[in-house]
Amino acid sequence: MDVIVGGGVVGLSIAWRLARSGRRVTVVDPAPGTGASYAAAGMLAPVSEVAFTEEPLLRLGVASLARWRAFAAELTADAGLAGGGVAEFAELDLRAEGTLDVAFGADDLAALDELAAFMEKLGLQVERLTGRECRRLEPMLAPSVRGGLLAPHDAWVDPRRVTRALLAALDRLGVPLVRSRVTSLLRDGDRVTGVHLSPAAAEAERLPAERVILAAGAWSRELADVPVRPVKGQIMRLRGPQPLLTRCVRGMVHGTSVYLVPRGDGELVVGATQEELGFDTRVTAGGLYELLRDARELVPGVTELEVGDVVAGLRPGTPDNLPLIGPSGVEGLTLATGHHRGGVLLAPLTAAILQGEEGELAALCSPGRFRDIS
Ligand code: GLY
């Protein structure tokens, strides 16, 4: 049996795919779906999130995005949600209208030109737009937007709906979910043989496993010596009577990147700060001020919206921004962590890699690239 430590989108996706293929699995998490997956905006945006130094990450993202449509359709069916036609995606709010990256000044425009050239060199479809063309696509954009770059195949999904669907699918497959904290890994010599559960749990305190899959995001390093650190992101959800935007919009404002993700029900997600503050999940006045200030520069109408919720999540960052997926080097311990800004996007690919697929991409994520995992 596999024990999966962590009930976020990554851990639950792995559990669902393994259970579906007939493997016995148990998920352990004191509060599934309340960590980084609850905070995440759900951008499936490998193209617009790419940085020049991140070509391997881009390859992972493009491959995982290609899996998302089938993943969503099967999840919708397995979770017992309404299916058929476009409605099957409405259950997860999966949308694929692309991302529009906008620019205000000459420097921003030059950066978009360079990014467009880089994307085209990699064979990715992007379109350079004038300010007027941007506003034709998104009339609520600020008049000061001077140009943009459209990544037409970028998509997004509602991670809270995805988590709920995964939990429902696991329940229907009879997968046990232990709502308890893992305090440490059970070891027999050099081998991991299961997990110790919090003594307060009603369940047995030791859960043996043939394989432990560590998918605990930023908390993974509390259980194993993995190079994962928390990267704080504050994010807010605003609400209005109807959507202000039809696609994801992002831009650089005051030197920081801000993104706006519209949901079908009028919700607009504004994210996200990027702070290196350890395990700090306080929502701060400064964080919210910066998000709203920058969002208003892109779309002035955001100030009319009602504030829904505001949360801070912890992304699991790694030294090279690539995830750690695969055997850890310690017998009995497999890793599925370190997804940093891309956990929701990379969940289908992560599950596929752990089922032995995608050998070439799996090599990019191999934990073996870091020594000393124990
Ligand atoms: N993927 C967006 C973020 O981490 O803020």
Side-chain angles (χ1 to χ4, degrees):
M1 182 186 69
D2 291 330
V3 165
I4 296 157
V5 182
V9 168
V10 170
L12 296 176
S13 296
I14 294 165
W16 170 54
R17 299 310 289 185
L18 288 177
R20 220 173 184 265
S21 70
R23 181 101 188 146
R24 275 204 315 130
V25 297
T26 295
V27 177
V28 187
D29 192 305
T34 59
S37 302
Y38 188 76
M43 281 184 292
L44 310 177
V47 173
S48 58
E49 280 244 315
V50 74
F52 289 108
T53 51
E54 292 184 328
E55 195 177 323
L57 186 58
L58 176 67
R59 289 178 58 205
L60 299 179
V62 168
S64 203
L65 176 58
R67 289 177 172 270
W68 248 101
R69 195 167 275 270
F71 184 90
E74 287 170 15
L75 177 57
T76 306
D78 280 15
L81 302 171
V86 173
E88 68 194 8
F89 302 120
E91 297 301 329
L92 306 178
D93 208 3
L94 175 68
R95 298 172 56 190
E97 279 94 355
T99 306
L100 181 60
D101 213 329
V102 298
F104 292 93
D107 288 353
D108 296 346
L109 285 169
L112 283 192
D113 282 336
E114 275 185 49
L115 197 55
F118 175 64
M119 302 290 189
E120 278 155 12
K121 206 176 95 194
L122 295 176
L124 295 165
Q125 194 194 337
V126 285
E127 291 166 40
R128 267 298 263 118
L129 304 177
T130 62
R132 184 173 297 182
E133 287 167 335
C134 289
R135 278 183 294 280
R136 205 174 296 136
L137 287 181
E138 295 295 346
M140 300 306 282
L141 277 177
S144 47
V145 164
R146 287 182 53 195
L149 185 67
L150 178 68
H153 300 304
D154 273 5
W156 66 100
V157 72
D158 184 342
R160 295 179 183 179
R161 290 181 185 227
V162 173
T163 308
R164 282 199 297 271
L166 285 164
L167 287 169
L170 290 174
D171 191 45
R172 284 162 62 106
L173 285 167
V175 171
L177 173 63
V178 179
R179 290 179 188 266
S180 177
R181 200 167 71 81
V182 171
T183 52
S184 60
L185 302 178
L186 270 174
R187 290 175 191 262
D188 181 3
D190 288 343
R191 188 179 149 68
V192 168
T193 56
V195 296
H196 280 284
L197 301 172
S198 161
E203 297 85 5
E205 287 179 21
R206 294 156 73 92
L207 188 57
E210 285 158 35
R211 177 172 66 160
V212 172
I213 301 177
L214 186 53
W219 288 270
S220 301
R221 75 173 196 198
E222 293 189 339
L223 297 172
D225 190 11
V226 288
V228 171
R229 69 183 196 287
V231 181
K232 177 177 174 180
Q234 300 188 53
I235 188 162
M236 72 170 70
R237 282 159 167 84
L238 305 174
R239 294 204 180 102
Q242 66 261 323
L244 277 187
L245 300 170
T246 55
R247 56 181 56 71
C248 289
V249 169
R250 61 189 306 153
M252 290 295 281
V253 185
H254 305 294
T256 51
S257 169
V258 64
Y259 54 78
L260 308 177
V261 179
R263 304 252 181 260
D265 59 2
E267 185 176 83
L268 187 71
V269 185
V270 179
T273 65
Q274 178 121 344
E275 302 164 76
E276 302 272 357
L277 291 172
F279 287 91
D280 171 359
T281 51
R282 287 171 311 133
V283 172
T284 63
L288 299 191
Y289 165 71
E290 280 170 30
L291 286 176
L292 277 177
R293 178 197 63 191
D294 297 351
R296 192 181 65 164
E297 294 273 338
L298 293 187
V299 177
V302 296
T303 51
E304 303 298 323
L305 301 178
E306 188 185 338
V307 177
D309 72 28
V310 189
V311 293
L314 299 173
R315 309 174 181 93
T318 62
D320 59 6
N321 291 343
L322 289 168
L324 295 155
I325 307 170
S328 66
V330 176
E331 211 184 322
L333 179 64
T334 288
L335 304 181
T337 185
H339 291 75
H340 195 218
R341 297 175 61 93
V344 179
L345 169 63
L346 297 175
L349 180 73
T350 303
I353 287 175
L354 290 191
Q355 290 189 290
E357 296 171 40
E358 301 277 13
E360 202 190 319
L361 295 178
L364 296 174
C365 314
S366 167
R369 69 187 189 279
F370 298 109
R371 282 189 225 112
D372 303 330
I373 292 175
S374 57

